Amino acid sequence: MREAGHSVIEQGKAEVVVDVTFGWQNSLLHDGWKWRGFARFAPAHATELMRVAREAEARLVIFGGFALAAAGPFDEPDLRPPLEVEGALRSSDLPICALRLGWLYGPGMENLRQYRTAFRRLRPYYGGPRTQQSWLHEEDAAAAVLAAVEKGQSGELYGVADERPAGNREVLDHFAWHVARRPPISFPRAGLPLSPVREAQALVLERSSVVDPQAFRTATGWRPRYPTYVEGLAQVARTWS
């Protein structure tokens, strides 16, 4: 966002400003370390986005946020930024169209390749409880952002997800069987202190991050190419093969 925003300002005004910087954190595929420092980084980034959008005199600002925000409010400091940043942007004078994107996955994500390697080596993972989450293939997320650019409205807050919420363990177990071709092995929460998984990741997995995408689909005509993680992970396997 910073580099792209500076380019916009150097080149002149922009009709639409799109911010998807938080996509790299909007995933359950990492072990929680990508949340480290987010409480400091996120507010500073929101301030930068506001500055860039004002200088560009954009008629619309698309903000790619988190389905996790729908699970708030939060007492845990590590979980507050997604909701606080979204709230700060929407309470500003900017023409914001905010998207609460489901947890992202796809063939381009290195963390998913690391899971494949771990499963093939029969390493255990922490899947968390069977709390339901909204999911979204990275290609569908890109298409949703484009749809928001074309048909999104200022002041709107949309949920964007596929058609089947599922728990993190359900998704990764399916991935282990059908992509890594190995039986999944998970460990309980009591094993976290002996693992590299951060407590923040465990807290996220315990919150139900489910959004209703119907309003966004009605407003923009967007539909996910991969309606569930089953079709999405099959595409991952085809791409990698």
Side-chain angles (χ1 to χ4, degrees), residues 5 10 81 84 97 99 127 136 139 158 195 209:
E10 290 173 1
E84 290 178 346
C97 176
L99 308 179
L136 189 63
E139 292 181 8
Y158 295 114
S195 78
S209 303

Side-chain angles (χ1 to χ4, degrees), residues 40-80:
R40 296 187 301 275
F41 164 74
H45 176 76
T47 300
E48 176 76 353
L49 172 60
M50 292 180 191
R51 184 190 68 79
V52 168
R54 290 191 179 103
E55 292 187 17
E57 297 182 2
R59 68 161 180 83
L60 185 64
V61 180
I62 306 297
F63 171 67
F66 298 72
L68 178 62
F74 305 104
D75 295 324
E76 306 89 344
D78 286 333
L79 303 190
R80 291 176 187 167

Side-chain angles (χ1 to χ4, degrees), residues 15-18 58-62 95-97 148-149 152-155:
E15 186 176 359
V16 180
V17 170
V18 177
R59 68 161 180 83
L60 185 64
V61 180
I62 306 297
I96 290 282
C97 176
V149 168
Q153 298 295 318
S154 172

Side-chain angles (χ1 to χ4, degrees), residues 175-222:
F175 177 80
W177 282 115
H178 296 278
V179 178
R181 304 297 181 183
R182 292 292 188 276
I185 304 172
S186 61
F187 60 85
R189 202 185 199 288
L192 284 180
L194 304 176
S195 78
V197 180
R198 296 189 73 232
E199 178 68 15
Q201 179 76 341
L203 293 174
V204 167
L205 291 175
E206 290 165 4
R207 291 292 190 124
S208 179
S209 303
V210 176
V211 294
D212 183 356
Q214 187 56 51
F216 183 70
R217 297 181 186 184
T218 300
T220 66
W222 173 86

Side-chain angles (χ1 to χ4, degrees), residues 107-108 113 137 139 226 232-241:
R113 290 185 179 273
H137 191 285
E139 292 181 8
Y226 305 103
L233 290 178
Q235 185 268 347
V236 170
R238 290 193 302 270
T239 301
W240 286 353
S241 64

